[in-house]
């Protein structure tokens, strides 16, 4: 089967650049949206130019110019949006409504993957304020997609390992603790930790797969599901040292929101749902939801339990492994 042509929106971002690389690696003709709003961000510009060097095609378009968006969309069969949805960086999820309008007017797109890649928003209708804002906005985008009869795939990738594994899920840092570690609740709630490169590879595998059309795809290989306590134990074995542990109750976590800035409050809410409610693992997939590792058993997943764990920590926290072990 001929491979689809892919347009990546947000290709210079944290997950977007990995999706571009995965698309090229899988042999897809790959276009990357280049927005004039990039301004003087030299890092993003160099990232885009590196894609061009490896065979991607840059397409200039702006969310403030509908015609340019339509032109870009018409170049591809599949559109993948990877715009940021986290408040501590940038939060642009509702800009996707303009992309939906462009896809609708272009009329040629066979599949649209909006910017999700985290917790399934359809299961978070009872989420806490203000953390629910991300889920609500993703559902607004979903409704626009489905109202326009645009074929879709939604990717639920759970916890990015770079943000949740290498730091032992500690808030406010990306580095693993050397002496003391904070445990949420009893530390025994199951969480899904996914390597970002695996997320990108799984995402690209779905785009030409009829089994994933108009469905939510969960990325949660069995090997990647473990508790915070199990994650900490892996780290302790690597550094040959036991960490001092303190336990944070649900009440104390929620009380800590008082006085925090908005972005931090959103983050605390998400930690509550993940580490206390178990929102990533307390359900089974159904007809409209499929599990990626079952669809693609040939995919070797990032496995925190196996002998590559040291390399995994090094990959996500450069230099932290040696400094913590010393």
């Amino acid at each position: 089967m001929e491979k689809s042509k892919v347009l990546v929106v947000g290709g210079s971002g944290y997950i977007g650049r990995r999706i571009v690389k995965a698309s090229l690696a899988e042999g897809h003709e790959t276009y990357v949206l280049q927005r004039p709003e990039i301004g003087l961000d030299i890092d993003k510009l160099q990232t885009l130019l590196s894609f061009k060097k490896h065979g991607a095609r840059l397409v200039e378009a702006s969310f403030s110019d509908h015609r340019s968006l339509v032109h870009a969309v018409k170049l591809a069969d599949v559109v993948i949006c990877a715009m940021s949805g986290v408040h501590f960086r940038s939060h642009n999820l509702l800009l996707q409504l303009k992309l939906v309008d462009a896809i609708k007017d272009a009329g040629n797109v066979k599949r649209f993957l909006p910017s999700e890649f985290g917790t399934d928003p359809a299961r978070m209708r009872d989420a806490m304020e203000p953390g629910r804002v991300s889920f609500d906005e993703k559902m607004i985008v979903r409704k626009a997609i489905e109202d326009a009869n645009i074929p879709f795939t939604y990717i639920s990738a759970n916890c990015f390992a770079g943000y949740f594994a290498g730091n032992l899920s500690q808030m406010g840092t990306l580095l693993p603790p050397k002496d003391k570690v904070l445990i949420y609740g009893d530390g025994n709630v199951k969480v899904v930790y996914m390597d970002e490169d695996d997320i990108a590879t799984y995402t690209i595998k779905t785009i030409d797969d009829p089994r994933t059309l108009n469905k939510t795809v969960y990325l949660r290989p069995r090997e990647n599901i473990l508790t915070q306590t199990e994650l900490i134990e892996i780290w302790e074995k690597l550094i040959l040292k036991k960490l001092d542990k303190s336990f944070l109750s649900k009440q104390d976590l929620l009380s800590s929101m008082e006085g925090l800035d908005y972005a931090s409050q959103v983050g605390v809410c998400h930690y509550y749902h993940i580490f206390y409610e178990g929102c990533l693992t307390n359900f089974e997939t159904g007809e409209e939801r499929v599990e990626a590792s079952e669809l693609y058993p040939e995919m070797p997943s990032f496995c925190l339990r196996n002998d590559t764990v040291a390399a995994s920590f090094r990959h996500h926290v450069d230099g932290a492994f040696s400094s913590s072990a010393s």
Side-chain angles (χ1 to χ4, degrees):
M1 184 173 64
E2 185 177 353
K3 292 180 180 290
S4 291
K5 293 179 288 184
V6 178
L7 171 67
V8 181
V9 180
S12 63
Y14 182 67
I15 196 67
R17 63 178 181 264
R18 292 171 168 84
I19 290 173
V20 173
K21 291 177 182 177
S23 179
L24 291 170
E26 290 291 322
H28 293 274
E29 187 175 326
T30 305
Y31 298 84
V32 183
L33 198 74
Q34 179 180 336
R35 298 166 59 193
E37 294 87 347
I38 194 172
L40 298 176
D41 193 326
I42 188 65
D43 289 333
K44 288 189 176 182
L45 177 60
Q46 289 178 342
T47 298
L48 292 174
L49 293 176
S50 72
F51 293 153
K52 186 175 180 180
K53 181 179 179 181
H54 288 91
R57 303 182 184 184
L58 304 184
V59 184
E60 292 190 16
S62 171
F63 279 88
S64 60
D65 182 352
H66 179 71
R67 290 180 62 186
S68 70
L69 275 183
V70 172
H71 168 73
V73 165
K74 283 186 175 181
L75 296 172
D77 306 304
V78 173
V79 176
I80 304 174
C81 187
M83 297 175 67
S84 175
V86 292
H87 285 79
F88 63 85
R89 298 179 69 179
S90 60
H91 188 82
N92 303 308
L93 292 176
L94 291 184
L95 270 180
Q96 293 180 102
L97 295 176
K98 295 186 177 183
L99 187 56
V100 170
D101 288 339
I103 291 171
K104 182 168 57 175
D105 287 352
N108 64 294
V109 171
K110 299 176 182 177
R111 190 89 61 106
F112 177 40
L113 284 69
S115 184
E116 297 215 354
F117 306 107
T119 305
D120 180 5
R123 302 197 68 260
M124 303 303 293
R125 292 187 174 92
D126 297 324
M128 291 175 52
E129 297 280 6
R132 65 173 298 128
V133 62
S134 300
F135 308 127
D136 289 344
E137 290 183 357
K138 288 177 181 180
M139 290 305 294
I140 290 171
V141 174
R142 283 191 181 192
K143 185 177 187 304
I145 293 168
E146 294 169 26
D147 285 349
N149 293 317
I150 297 171
F152 62 84
T153 297
Y154 303 138
I155 303 293
S156 177
N158 302 294
C159 289
F160 289 3
Y163 284 98
F164 287 90
N167 61 353
L168 306 186
S169 301
Q170 304 299 284
M171 287 187 283
T173 181
L174 295 177
L175 298 173
K178 297 180 180 180
D179 302 304
K180 300 178 180 180
V181 63
L182 184 65
I183 296 176
Y184 308 110
D186 62 6
N188 293 322
V189 172
K190 294 289 186 180
V191 179
V192 186
Y193 299 91
M194 286 297 301
D195 177 78
E196 292 85 342
D197 291 331
D198 283 354
I199 291 170
T201 302
Y202 274 125
T203 296
I204 294 301
K205 282 184 175 293
T206 70
I207 62 177
D208 285 327
D209 190 341
R211 298 173 297 176
T212 63
L213 180 62
N214 295 335
K215 291 187 177 180
T216 299
V217 178
Y218 287 103
L219 310 188
R220 54 177 195 179
R222 187 174 303 171
E223 298 86 352
N224 292 53
I225 302 174
L226 66 163
T227 68
Q228 188 191 10
T229 297
E230 290 171 324
L231 181 67
I232 293 168
E233 288 173 350
I234 293 171
W235 179 246
E236 289 176 328
K237 289 179 182 178
L238 287 172
I239 64 174
L240 303 176
K241 176 182 177 180
K242 290 290 185 181
L243 300 176
D244 291 334
K245 301 174 179 66
S246 58
F247 296 83
L248 185 66
S249 70
K250 174 176 68 175
Q251 292 75 17
D252 287 343
L253 175 83
L254 298 178
S255 296
S256 72
M257 291 175 60
E258 186 176 351
L260 294 178
D261 61 76
Y262 184 78
S264 297
Q265 290 184 34
V266 169
V268 168
C269 290
H270 292 179
Y271 267 69
Y272 168 74
H273 293 301
I274 292 169
F275 292 99
Y276 293 84
E277 287 191 338
C279 68
L280 304 182
T281 57
N282 62 2
F283 64 95
E284 298 296 329
T285 57
E287 280 188 22
E288 300 305 314
R289 301 176 176 90
V290 292
E291 205 286 306
S293 65
E294 295 177 1
L295 295 178
Y296 314 111
E298 74 281 3
M299 259 288 289
S301 291
F302 168 77
C303 180
L304 288 166
R305 298 181 189 275
N306 64 23
D307 292 336
T308 66
V309 67
S312 301
F313 277 112
R314 288 193 186 98
H315 171 67
H316 292 291
V317 191
D318 186 26
F321 177 81
S322 58
S323 64
S324 292
S326 61

